[in-house]
């Protein structure tokens, strides 16, 4: 068990932002990454479909012998993590928009959240907002169209800028001081985001927090891989060009 890999899945390349944080914090651990990009994007799908896909991805990673599973997708976590935990007697780590952290840090009392429709409409997201941010103003925007562009390897340019202005200009106007990236694909836009956002607005994502939780869970279950540099395998069930674009050329990408 100790030498088994950590399994990570997402609807595409978004979870690579989480993989990068895990690799940094747990350099010895082996990782199997699965991109279900055949079914990307998840953000506008029904809860039923999101659940079905999350179960399929979980079974696939379990067949590969993973010791824990990181659901590197806010849309899946907020709609399906409790079902996954109830159905599989297995350790899962999920990712949710970092509302709590932004709510603690805000000075203007206004924060922005950019996430998928699936995440923003979920009961988990709404209960977390009520629990931690009931006394601050949250300006939510569905980042419709961004994931498709990112999956096509487009991280900057006219179309991305047009969409970001459409979603963020009203938040900027309302003087938010933190922007929560509630989708694991969005950190790929950090460069263009820092061009668009005034420097009074801080960008927050949950990548590091998820890596820390993964480490804590591995420690708790005493399933740490003892030595050696980690091995990484990448799989996708659609086109591999976006994974190819963002990963180091030394990694092989398997198409299933
Ligand atoms: N990366 C995902 C998330 O964090 C899914 C985005 C999508 O497929 O729409 O929500």
């Amino acid at each position: 068990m100790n030498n088994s890999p950590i399994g990570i899945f997402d609807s595409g390349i978004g979870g690579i932002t989480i993989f990068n944080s895990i690799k940094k914090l747990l350099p010895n651990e082996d990782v199997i990454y699965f991109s279900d990009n055949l079914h990307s994007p998840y953000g506008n799908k029904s809860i039923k479909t999101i659940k079905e896909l999350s179960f399929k991805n979980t079974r696939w990673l379990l067949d590969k012998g993973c010791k824990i599973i990181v659901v590197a997708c806010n849309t899946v976590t907020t709609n399906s993590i409790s079902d996954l935990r109830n159905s599989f007697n297995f350790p899962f780590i999920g990712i949710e928009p970092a509302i709590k952290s932004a709510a603690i840090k805000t000075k203007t009392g206004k924060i922005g959240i950019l996430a998928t429709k699936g995440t923003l409409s979920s009961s988990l997201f709404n209960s977390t907002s009520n629990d931690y941010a009931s006394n601050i103003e949250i300006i939510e925007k569905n980042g419709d169209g961004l994931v498709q562009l990112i999956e096509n390897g487009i991280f900057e340019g006219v179309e991305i800028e047009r969409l970001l202005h459409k979603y963020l200009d009203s938040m900027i106007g309302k003087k938010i001081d933190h922007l929560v990236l509630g989708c694991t694909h969005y950190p790929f836009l950090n460069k263009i985001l820092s061009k668009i956002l005034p420097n009074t607005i801080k960008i927050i994502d949950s990548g590091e927090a998820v890596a820390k939780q993964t480490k804590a869970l591995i420690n708790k279950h005493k399933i740490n891989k003892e030595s050696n540099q980690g091995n990484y395998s990448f799989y996708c069930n659609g086109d591999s060009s976006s994974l190819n674009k963002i990963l180091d050329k030394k990694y092989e990408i398997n198409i299933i």
Side-chain angles (χ1 to χ4, degrees):
M1 187 72 164
N2 291 29
N3 290 335
S4 302
I6 296 170
I8 304 180
F9 77 82
D10 180 40
S11 63
I13 60 171
I16 295 292
T17 59
I18 307 303
F19 162 75
N20 288 334
S21 303
I22 289 177
K23 182 176 159 224
K24 207 162 140 196
L25 196 67
L26 298 162
N28 291 349
E29 296 291 339
D30 295 348
V31 176
I32 293 188
Y33 185 92
F34 179 58
S35 155
D36 183 24
N37 62 337
L38 184 66
H39 301 106
S40 181
Y42 282 4
N44 291 331
K45 291 191 175 8
S46 68
I47 297 179
K48 184 171 171 277
T49 304
I50 293 167
K51 284 184 181 170
E52 280 167 9
L53 293 170
S54 72
F55 273 64
K56 227 162 129 182
N57 300 341
T58 297
R59 287 198 191 95
W60 191 87
L61 287 170
L62 290 178
D63 283 348
K64 290 273 173 205
C66 294
K67 61 183 173 187
I68 64 165
I69 291 182
V70 179
V71 177
C73 175
N74 294 262
T75 311
V76 170
T77 303
T78 52
N79 286 285
S80 184
I81 195 106
S82 51
D83 288 53
L84 289 170
R85 289 195 170 118
N86 291 337
S87 304
F88 298 92
N89 183 19
F90 197 73
F92 285 94
I93 306 277
I95 179 162
E96 286 180 66
I99 307 171
K100 188 179 167 187
S101 161
I104 292 168
K105 290 176 183 150
T106 183
K107 296 268 187 300
T108 60
K110 291 172 187 177
I111 63 172
I113 313 247
L114 191 62
T116 68
K117 182 172 164 234
T119 295
L120 295 174
S121 59
S122 68
S123 46
L124 184 58
F125 171 78
N126 284 293
S127 63
T128 308
S129 302
N130 288 336
D131 289 350
Y132 297 109
S134 55
N135 54 345
I136 62 162
E137 190 180 340
I138 304 181
I139 298 137
E140 304 172 7
K141 287 284 174 202
N142 163 9
D144 207 16
L146 292 173
V147 169
Q148 289 93 321
L149 288 167
I150 295 165
E151 280 300 312
N152 286 323
I154 300 166
F155 306 147
E156 56 191 356
V158 189
E159 187 59 359
I160 288 269
E161 284 194 37
R162 187 187 66 77
L163 288 177
L164 287 176
H165 276 294
K166 183 172 156 197
Y167 303 140
L168 302 179
D169 284 356
S170 59
M171 298 189 191
I172 298 169
K174 285 196 171 169
K175 303 265 182 287
I176 61 160
D177 58 359
H178 289 82
L179 173 66
V180 177
L181 301 184
C183 170
T184 54
H185 281 76
Y186 300 162
F188 286 114
L189 306 180
N190 275 344
K191 199 171 140 205
I192 188 89
L193 279 169
S194 49
K195 217 176 94 184
I196 289 175
L197 296 171
N199 55 14
T200 48
I201 300 178
K202 290 210 164 55
I203 299 170
I204 303 192
D205 70 60
S206 314
E208 230 181 278
V210 171
K212 282 185 186 155
Q213 281 172 33
T214 307
K215 187 175 180 178
L217 199 66
I218 285 178
N219 287 341
K220 183 178 154 206
H221 289 273
K222 299 192 172 55
I223 49 173
N224 311 64
K225 184 181 160 203
E226 266 106 44
S227 58
N228 300 330
Q229 171 63 36
N231 291 307
Y232 311 119
S233 325
F234 300 89
Y235 294 83
C236 64
N237 52 6
D239 190 283
S240 62
S241 40
S242 52
L243 267 180
N244 253 315
K245 180 171 176 177
I246 55 163
L247 289 174
D248 198 311
K249 295 292 163 266
K250 70 183 177 213
Y251 299 129
E252 193 191 328
I253 298 159
N254 307 280
I255 303 172
I256 58 161

